[in-house]
Amino acid sequence: MALRTGAFVNVIQSAIPAVSEAIALLYSNHPLVESGGFADFHVSVRAATGVRRWLRRQVLFEFDGARPFKPLPFPQAFPMLEWGLNWCVSNHCNNLLVFHAAVIAHENRALILAAPPGYGKSTLCAALVNCGWRLLSDELTLIDPASGNVLPLARPVSLKNASIGVIRSFAPDAPLSRIVTDTVKGSVAHMRPPVGSVQRANEPAKPHWIVFPRFQSGAPTTLSPYAKARAFMQLADNAFNYNVHGKRGFETVADLVSSSGCYEFSYGNLNEAVSVFDTLAKSAP
Amino acid sequence: MARRNLVLIALTQPRATASWSASDWDTLVRQARRSNLLGHLAFRLEAANMLAGAPPGALAHLDAARILAQHQQQAVEREVAEIRQSLAATGVDIILLKGAAYAIAGLRAAKGRIFSDVDILVPKQALLEVESALMQHGWISTHHDPYDQRYYRRWMHELPPMRHIIRQTVIDVHHAILPETARLKPDSAKLRTAAVPLEGKKGLFVFSPADIVLHSATHLFHDGELEHGLRDLVDLDTLLREFAQQAGFWDMLVERAAELDLRRPLYYALRYTAHILGTPVPPQILQAAEAGKPVPVIDRLMDALFVRALCPDHSSVADRFTPIARRILYVRSHWLRMPPLLLVYHLTIKAFSSRSSED
Amino acid sequence: MICWREWDGEIVVYYDLTGNTHLLNSLAGLVLRRLAESGAARSVAELTESIGPSVAIEPDIAQIEAVEAVLTDLERFGLAARGTA
Amino acid sequence: MAMSEQQVPEQPSSTPSTDASSPQATSPEAGRRRLLQGGLAAGPVIFTLFSRPALGGGIGGECKTPSGFLSGNLSQHGTPTFCSGRTPGYWKQSQHFGDWVAPYFPTAVSGPGGHQATTFHSATTGFTGNQFGTQTMLQVLGTGGNTGGYTALGRHITAALLNARRGWTPVLSETGVRNIWNEYVSKGYFEPSAGIKWYPAQIVDYLVTTMPL
């Protein structure tokens, strides 16, 4: 099966029912591509064979016959596919600047959410795309150095631990995959991207805001300006291939920071957070 | 699936790609990536003006590989500068080997090439001093297992690889191009004497052109790293084509092979580059190189093995004998490097350690 | 060889030779600029004087020490070097 | 792959929740928090991103992924050894006393749970000899110059011990630091590898490489 996600075509093979089930649910809006064309990534997820499968069933991710990762426990087959597809992009697309950050858009103005795991970045991203923002990506922000544009991926949003319940009650209609427990990141579930985001997955957006969010339970909702030089360092530190681009990487990040409003955002309540971002969107010229 | 070696076709007859379908390009990119030749391919297709025919998806990957290759070229330059500075106080002459040598000497073989570590050669008696200086400048040994340490120090032609604490780059310090236990005994002193200083970089050297080729051939045909066999063969081809423009190169090459006890690897190198990549080796040189030819039965066996092993390590070109060919050649390379008892010892301990590290 | 951008008094520098990127405080940024503009300075005192009016510290011993500290830090990262005159 | 990824001990973090939530599992990606949590040097160079070249074949060979969604045991290759040690100048500043990890203490605290400032030569540090008499670790950090040819070493070995304790130098454990000092005390030099002798100046050079911040 060949799935198109943004600019990429992924050929995915898996005989594992949990994987096909999750794909059917989460990628139901994604276009299928006829086989026989050019595909960016050929991947498979399959059960490991050998002695150890009798002790503990495991699952393997293969990229075109190579195995970049250690096997994982069998129930983690689908998260492994998602992580593997992220790796495909972040490890190969050196024609782009790839950041570990979520990115959403309002009228083609992109808002980049950069934060370490556990800071509530994916939760905020999931909430906002359920309130009219367009999902570009929840894990990988792709910047084309030639144009400075953000390229969409529109793949499922990964939710962890408490966020799963939070999004379930915040957006009860958003389809979520089955929860997989005991992964390296705890419990994981994926949310289907809104159909509108998938339909517009070939429309780039212009970077307009860079926000460093942080969830703290009970914290007041505050959005405050963040020093641009620090935003630069923070973003570059979150890039997979900033240094691969050398001087061009520096210029691209510098332009990105210069042309965007940079903010620190602290929140403890998701509804308040969403209204702050709506105000931000409306304030844009 | 048709087993077509598209990388080979794209490299030897780039014009043929003009009529390729998107599916051909798909296979090409996969084979080239797996062979570590995607960057090299990008430069070669560009030089042949054939990039325009690539579908946009393939072009993006070729572009990405080119950007990575440019970064690596710059990274190797930085790394060599750091190494040179770290060793300056020792006064030891440093000979750059393999990829780093191609890059710093500005050879065509460096274009689009993937680098993994920097290899240098220093006199054996300077090893300790060099190791000490590198440690003081932030390189630490990557092998902490006492067996590995002993193995390297006693039998190998190099120090255990050292990794830089900050940059995470790896340096391999050699004192010879083959282990002391190997069947072939190229004299390191002869290699050093013929080394060429790099202009404007005091203390830095590369091998002479003939020795660069012979080292590359020895590495490919007497070392275990055949998963990059095609990449190494492409290195050889590119080096031979570039050096062939220097007067007297071919005769020198045959002469040096005899002098350094490297006739066998030269025979294989010329035979397989000419056969697989169409390298224009003069007929009288091919004939002269036959001095290194093994007995006919071995010759035929090697043909069967190498022609498989020198393909991209990708399912689209492998046949059912490919894995066994690679395995046989791997064991052979160990056999060539070590006396049998030591070989068993080495493979046994390695087998144990790789099993335990899986859990 | 050195690229930089300044935002609100803080400077981000990319140094081609090492590939490293540094976030500098305003004084370090000024020192680096002066050095880049003039190619070299003859002494720390001269350098301090040349940046004197631009920073809000008294041009005294403390400032010379501050510039000294900047140079030491810049040297650590290969951004500046002291030669023998 | 690309960026510096110095390790900072985990801080508890929580995930959004409409009701007050308990701290969630910590992430393996603590390095990314440096800027947010003020992991910044006070010096003129506030923060440095070291270029970590993307060398290596990529596929099948070396996979050097930054942490993040591919962190933890997903990577096939061992945890890289990133050093993020701090210099003696860092450790002697009172605003960084909070970074000292027990059983090492910069100053004495009285009352219940109180403790003495740790002396350089003590069972706690494991440093033999009497080069620094009864001076505390903090006093040794503050010793200027290079009296007796070993005070610079004293400063750096102290910082190295604190770095190791804090987990900032995966390549150099507390035991490793102790061995260096104690071997120096007994032989006058340290032998990092058979046949190599390092005297204080060389040991300091080496220790400095583990203190990039």
Side-chain angles (χ1 to χ4, degrees):
Chain A
M1 174 176 49
L3 265 179
R4 176 174 284 283
T5 56
F8 305 107
V9 174
N10 313 282
V11 174
I12 303 167
Q13 290 185 328
S14 185
I16 300 172
V19 172
S20 29
E21 245 170 60
I23 291 178
L25 174 73
L26 299 172
Y27 287 92
S28 58
N29 297 318
H30 284 76
L32 289 179
V33 184
E34 271 183 55
S35 58
F38 181 87
D40 292 271
F41 307 115
H42 295 254
V43 304
S44 77
V45 180
R46 57 183 187 80
T49 52
V51 186
R52 278 193 296 169
R53 96 190 124 124
W54 303 112
L55 303 169
R56 194 157 49 106
R57 287 188 86 195
Q58 288 192 313
V59 64
L60 291 170
F61 174 82
E62 288 187 341
F63 172 71
D64 214 359
R67 286 178 200 161
F69 310 116
K70 285 181 177 168
L72 287 181
F74 192 76
Q76 299 181 23
F78 181 71
M80 192 176 206
L81 172 66
E82 284 294 318
W83 295 333
L85 288 173
N86 285 340
W87 171 85
C88 283
V89 174
S90 66
N91 206 49
H92 296 107
C93 299
N94 285 315
N95 50 327
L96 307 172
L97 255 153
V98 186
F99 298 88
H100 184 208
V103 58
I104 55 178
H106 184 270
E107 290 176 0
N108 282 346
R109 291 192 187 97
L111 186 151
I112 296 170
L113 288 165
Y119 272 45
K121 162 186 63 121
S122 285
T123 320
L124 192 55
C125 170
L128 289 167
V129 302
N130 277 300
C131 296
W133 288 76
R134 169 158 78 103
L135 174 74
L136 280 82
S137 170
D138 85 314
E139 288 272 26
L140 299 173
T141 295
L142 311 177
I143 307 273
D144 175 11
S147 62
N149 285 340
V150 186
L151 307 185
L153 266 176
R155 294 230 325 269
V157 177
S158 148
L159 298 170
K160 277 154 278 179
N161 303 316
S163 314
I164 302 170
V166 172
I167 292 303
R168 265 212 182 118
S169 48
F170 183 86
D173 296 336
L176 292 193
S177 66
R178 267 194 289 176
I179 297 176
V180 177
T181 55
D182 301 317
T183 74
V184 276
K185 304 162 177 204
S187 296
V188 174
H190 286 82
M191 184 191 87
R192 179 162 80 199
V195 59
S197 303
V198 176
Q199 282 165 350
R200 298 175 64 189
N202 55 355
E203 282 177 43
K206 283 265 171 235
H208 200 80
W209 303 278
I210 299 166
V211 177
F212 301 100
R214 183 170 191 186
F215 170 83
Q216 276 173 304
S217 101
T221 310
T222 51
L223 183 72
S224 42
Y226 191 69
K228 291 206 175 192
R230 289 167 193 241
F232 180 108
M233 298 305 276
Q234 179 89 355
L235 271 182
D237 197 14
N238 275 267
F240 288 92
N241 56 0
Y242 165 73
N243 70 335
V244 166
H245 289 270
K247 185 169 177 288
R248 188 167 70 150
F250 172 84
E251 300 291 351
T252 307
V253 179
D255 290 347
L256 176 65
V257 167
S258 289
S259 60
S260 306
C262 299
Y263 302 94
E264 224 172 346
F265 180 63
S266 159
Y267 73 107
N269 177 300
L270 211 45
N271 289 311
E272 282 181 26
V274 168
S275 75
V276 165
F277 283 92
D278 283 343
T279 313
L280 193 66
K282 286 190 193 103
S283 73
Chain B
M1 193 191 300
R3 279 193 288 274
R4 285 207 297 152
N5 194 336
L6 295 185
V7 187
L8 215 54
I9 300 172
L11 289 176
T12 51
Q13 315 149 48
R15 307 221 144 268
T17 61
S19 61
W20 284 5
S21 67
S23 153
D24 291 331
W25 281 93
D26 179 274
T27 309
L28 172 67
V29 167
R30 294 163 69 187
Q31 288 179 356
R33 175 179 284 144
R34 197 58 194 269
S35 316
N36 266 343
L37 279 169
L38 198 55
H40 180 83
L41 178 70
F43 282 102
R44 291 277 290 265
L45 289 176
E46 188 189 28
N49 244 331
M50 297 309 294
L51 277 180
L59 199 56
H61 287 278
L62 288 163
D63 239 3
R66 211 154 37 149
I67 289 168
L68 183 65
Q70 276 158 353
H71 161 69
Q72 294 200 333
Q73 167 89 30
Q74 200 183 14
V76 165
E77 283 166 21
R78 282 181 194 140
E79 205 52 31
V80 169
E82 293 281 348
I83 292 166
R84 189 170 155 233
Q85 209 175 347
S86 304
L87 297 182
T90 66
V92 174
D93 286 341
I94 307 160
I95 301 178
L96 298 172
L97 303 177
K98 304 183 211 172
Y102 311 158
I104 307 299
L107 297 179
R108 262 177 247 154
K111 258 209 167 308
R113 194 179 188 275
I114 293 277
F115 300 91
S116 48
D117 41 23
V118 173
D119 296 270
I120 65 170
L121 181 107
V122 298
K124 195 176 179 188
Q125 66 273 18
L127 271 186
L128 274 184
E129 200 185 351
V130 165
E131 185 181 14
S132 171
L134 289 173
M135 286 175 76
Q136 268 179 68
H137 288 88
W139 276 272
I140 51 171
S141 187
T142 52
H143 287 246
H144 302 296
D145 179 53
Y147 164 73
D148 278 354
Q149 282 279 348
R150 266 205 313 281
Y151 168 72
Y152 268 98
R153 285 172 201 278
R154 174 125 187 236
W155 302 112
M156 290 303 283
H157 50 309
E158 59 193 312
L159 292 175
M162 298 172 86
R163 187 185 293 276
H164 195 271
I165 294 182
I166 306 288
R167 297 188 304 278
Q168 298 291 306
T169 44
V170 174
I171 181 170
D172 276 332
V173 183
H174 305 248
H175 64 80
I177 60 169
L178 278 174
E180 308 205 318
T181 49
R183 304 293 149 84
L184 301 179
K185 309 223 179 287
D187 183 346
S188 299
K190 284 184 189 160
L191 289 163
R192 273 203 307 277
T193 314
V196 185
L198 285 166
E199 211 176 307
K201 298 191 166 70
K202 198 171 171 290
L204 277 190
F205 296 78
V206 294
F207 282 158
S208 70
D211 292 0
I212 287 182
V213 170
L214 290 170
H215 180 215
S216 174
T218 307
H219 176 66
L220 173 55
F221 294 104
H222 284 259
D223 253 327
E225 297 172 32
L226 272 161
E227 65 273 31
H228 301 316
L230 182 60
R231 197 280 309 263
D232 292 346
L233 198 72
V234 167
D235 273 356
L236 270 172
D237 169 68
T238 317
L239 291 168
L240 287 169
R241 284 173 196 261
E242 184 166 4
F243 292 146
Q245 290 157 8
Q246 300 181 8
F249 165 74
W250 291 111
D251 292 328
M252 183 59 163
L253 184 61
V254 174
E255 215 173 286
R256 270 307 259 187
E259 218 174 312
L260 289 167
D261 189 20
L262 295 174
R263 274 178 290 207
R264 181 68 51 87
L266 179 65
Y267 167 73
Y268 287 138
L270 298 184
R271 177 174 180 80
Y272 295 114
T273 48
H275 177 71
I276 297 174
L277 291 165
T279 317
V281 184
Q284 76 276 16
I285 296 298
L286 272 178
Q287 207 179 354
E290 296 215 340
K293 185 178 175 168
V295 295
V297 56
I298 299 288
D299 199 34
R300 279 196 301 276
L301 176 64
M302 287 302 155
D303 273 359
L305 295 175
F306 276 124
V307 165
R308 283 184 176 81
L310 294 173
C311 279
D313 186 9
H314 190 266
S315 58
S316 61
V317 271
D319 66 18
R320 66 200 176 100
F321 297 111
T322 304
I324 185 76
R326 285 183 195 281
R327 184 73 204 154
I328 291 172
L329 287 170
Y330 179 75
V331 172
R332 165 184 171 270
S333 76
H334 273 71
W335 178 261
L336 289 171
R337 293 182 331 172
M338 271 168 268
L341 250 179
L342 183 63
L343 176 70
V344 170
Y345 180 57
H346 180 55
L347 287 179
T348 314
I349 299 241
K350 279 281 173 208
F352 277 119
S353 21
S354 72
R355 190 172 314 158
S356 59
S357 71
E358 260 180 49
D359 288 22
Chain C
M1 206 80 111
I2 291 181
C3 315
W4 66 59
R5 294 279 182 108
E6 180 178 347
W7 293 280
D8 314 315
E10 287 186 328
I11 290 177
V12 178
V13 175
Y14 171 74
Y15 188 33
D16 211 22
L17 208 66
T18 57
N20 296 337
T21 306
H22 310 276
L23 171 61
L24 307 183
N25 70 11
S26 54
L27 181 62
L30 275 170
V31 169
L32 196 65
R33 278 187 175 204
R34 287 288 180 275
L35 286 176
E37 283 160 11
S38 60
R42 254 173 297 162
S43 67
V44 179
E46 187 191 277
L47 188 63
T48 310
E49 200 164 313
S50 78
I51 58 170
S54 338
V55 258
I57 351 174
E58 299 291 309
D60 57 12
I61 304 296
Q63 194 179 342
I64 292 192
E65 272 175 15
V67 171
E68 187 68 55
V70 166
L71 287 171
T72 307
D73 234 17
L74 293 182
E75 260 188 305
R76 262 179 79 198
F77 296 106
L79 288 163
R82 288 173 219 238
T84 41
Chain D
M1 181 191 243
M3 306 287 30
S4 65
E5 197 65 45
Q6 283 96 0
Q7 287 165 358
V8 171
E10 298 288 332
Q11 309 266 345
S13 68
S14 47
T15 312
S17 161
T18 39
D19 49 31
S21 68
S22 56
Q24 286 296 317
T26 55
S27 86
E29 207 194 18
R32 303 234 189 271
R33 292 178 193 153
R34 279 169 299 165
L35 272 160
L36 286 176
Q37 294 182 340
L40 302 171
V45 177
I46 302 171
F47 188 77
T48 293
L49 279 174
F50 290 102
S51 174
R52 193 154 286 151
L55 296 178
I59 313 313
E62 303 214 30
C63 75
K64 293 176 181 164
T65 51
S67 59
F69 42 75
L70 296 169
S71 52
N73 62 5
L74 267 179
S75 171
Q76 205 168 39
H77 303 271
T79 317
T81 45
F82 297 140
C83 277
S84 57
R86 311 301 205 262
T87 58
Y90 175 94
W91 286 110
K92 73 178 180 192
Q93 294 173 39
S94 55
Q95 70 263 35
H96 297 135
F97 286 177
D99 283 334
W100 289 53
V101 178
Y104 309 123
F105 300 103
T107 51
V109 168
S110 56
H115 49 73
Q116 293 299 311
T118 312
T119 31
F120 182 87
H121 299 289
S122 62
T124 314
T125 61
F127 290 151
T128 57
N130 61 353
Q131 281 77 356
F132 293 99
T134 56
Q135 289 189 74
T136 64
M137 292 175 79
L138 184 62
Q139 285 167 327
V140 172
L141 284 169
T143 318
N146 197 13
T147 324
Y150 57 76
T151 46
L153 176 58
R155 288 195 293 277
H156 286 89
I157 209 92
T158 306
L161 188 68
L162 293 169
N163 286 328
R165 183 72 192 164
R166 194 78 165 79
W168 280 339
T169 51
V171 294
L172 193 58
S173 65
E174 290 174 84
T175 311
V177 176
R178 265 177 214 124
N179 290 344
I180 293 177
W181 173 260
N182 294 339
E183 201 177 316
Y184 160 70
V185 168
S186 66
K187 298 199 282 197
Y189 58 83
F190 167 67
E191 217 174 327
S193 186
I196 301 175
K197 287 177 187 167
W198 282 358
Y199 296 93
Q202 284 116 5
I203 303 175
V204 168
D205 278 351
Y206 168 68
L207 293 175
V208 164
T209 64
T210 68
M211 306 171 181
L213 296 186

